[in-house]
Amino acid sequence: DDVVVNVITEQRTLIGELSASTYHYFTELTYQPEWNRPDFSDLHWLPGGQGLGYDLTDGFSTYIDTNIQSSMQHRHSSLYVRYPFILENARSLHRLELILRADDGCAVYLNGQEVHRQDVPLYDLGPTATALRTADETLLLRPKPIDLTEFRSRLHPGYNVLAIHGLNQSITSSDFLVQPTLTATMGRTERLPDELNAQGLLAYALGDDAPTIELLEDEMLVHYVRIADFEVTGGRIDIEISADLAIWK
């Protein structure tokens, strides 16, 4: 008989409106390239909220939790921000999505690896760098989701950091904004059938559809899998998106 593994998914906000951050301004002499890594010490950085910036025209002040006009305008074109978050089970993460409001440009890092950039120079991203163009403020009202799922291997169980280098087009600009929202779709299965455990097979499926698994001696057949991770004794099998029947020996 076929063995069906039922999959339950839930969305979790990793960085949201109640999240805390730390921020800092570097100069060419004080710049520390490891600032975006989880093990970097930011004890001397300033505390902030989810949204950091300033707006003299009141176009998007509702997104600003920490006003930094006095410390940034006419002084710095770049702001460095760290958002720590906790992820209990990184292996059960199915989808990672970022909603980002940025005026004007930014580079985004997940545990030290760059995962997204917009309107910033290709090479020179030092403390005096500026954004390539002024942001279209109409896009800040409904920013498009950014899929970061391909970088989920960078996540660790426990402490993680999303780091953002925000850039203004000039130090005299009348506004600036960095505001990320990071969400994760987590998957879990119901209790596995006893006959599945008896054969030493742990099936952990992630996605919208539950796969049907058929065990025939030394073969495993999976019927219509969207996305799944399977742990088996002796190794790991990654099953990609497929509507076809897959057989492993």
Side-chain angles (χ1 to χ4, degrees):
D1 295 333
D2 290 348
V3 178
V4 177
V5 180
N6 294 318
V7 181
I8 302 173
T9 61
E10 61 178 354
Q11 190 173 75
R12 186 175 306 168
T13 300
L14 303 177
I15 299 174
E17 61 182 30
L18 299 179
S19 295
S21 66
T22 57
Y23 67 96
H24 186 71
Y25 304 100
F26 284 117
T27 67
E28 296 290 350
L29 294 178
T30 63
Y31 180 73
Q32 296 174 279
E34 67 276 12
W35 70 274
N36 51 29
R37 294 174 45 178
D39 56 356
F40 176 79
S41 176
D42 58 2
L43 293 178
H44 300 294
W45 287 32
L46 296 171
Q50 178 193 16
L52 295 93
Y54 62 91
D55 183 17
L56 303 186
T57 61
D58 202 33
F60 50 74
S61 58
T62 183
Y63 305 126
I64 298 174
D65 301 297
T66 304
N67 192 303
I68 57 173
Q69 179 188 356
S70 61
S71 60
M72 185 171 185
Q73 191 181 32
H74 302 296
R75 296 186 179 188
H76 303 280
S77 61
S78 288
L79 178 73
Y80 297 82
V81 195
R82 290 168 54 89
Y83 295 89
F85 62 93
I86 302 298
L87 187 61
E88 294 87 358
N89 187 0
R91 292 180 60 187
S92 67
L93 186 143
H94 166 48
R95 183 177 178 86
L96 188 66
E97 189 173 86
L98 174 66
I99 299 290
L100 180 63
R101 292 183 172 92
D103 186 331
D104 291 305
C106 67
V108 183
Y109 304 86
L110 182 61
N111 287 338
Q113 178 179 340
E114 183 178 325
V115 295
H116 176 74
R117 62 167 54 196
Q118 61 187 55
D119 296 332
V120 298
L122 182 60
Y123 299 107
D124 183 15
L125 271 181
T128 60
T130 58
L132 297 179
R133 60 184 63 86
T134 301
D136 182 353
E137 295 186 7
T138 61
L139 299 178
L140 299 179
L141 300 177
R142 293 185 178 182
K144 294 182 179 180
I146 302 167
D147 187 2
L148 300 183
T149 307
E150 64 178 297
F151 302 105
R152 61 183 175 179
S153 62
R154 298 293 301 179
L155 294 169
H156 312 302
Y159 185 80
N160 297 266
V161 170
L162 183 79
I164 299 179
H165 177 187
L167 290 79
N168 228 340
Q169 192 182 36
S170 74
I171 62 174
T172 61
S173 177
S174 62
D175 52 27
F176 175 80
L177 178 65
V178 168
Q179 191 218 41
T181 299
L182 187 66
T183 59
T185 301
M186 312 297 292
R188 63 184 178 86
T189 58
E190 296 178 347
R191 182 179 179 274
L192 295 178
D194 292 337
E195 61 268 23
L196 199 59
N197 292 329
Q199 299 190 45
L201 174 65
L202 173 62
Y204 193 88
L206 300 174
D208 299 325
D209 301 328
T212 299
I213 303 173
E214 185 179 354
L215 300 175
L216 298 175
E217 297 180 352
D218 62 344
E219 294 183 349
M220 179 174 70
L221 288 73
V222 179
H223 303 267
Y224 191 64
V225 174
R226 290 290 299 275
I227 296 178
D229 266 339
F230 285 85
E231 293 291 339
V232 298
T233 302
R236 174 170 178 160
I237 301 174
D238 291 325
I239 304 171
E240 300 296 335
I241 297 175
S242 174
D244 300 322
L245 180 67
I247 301 177
W248 291 270
K249 291 184 178 181

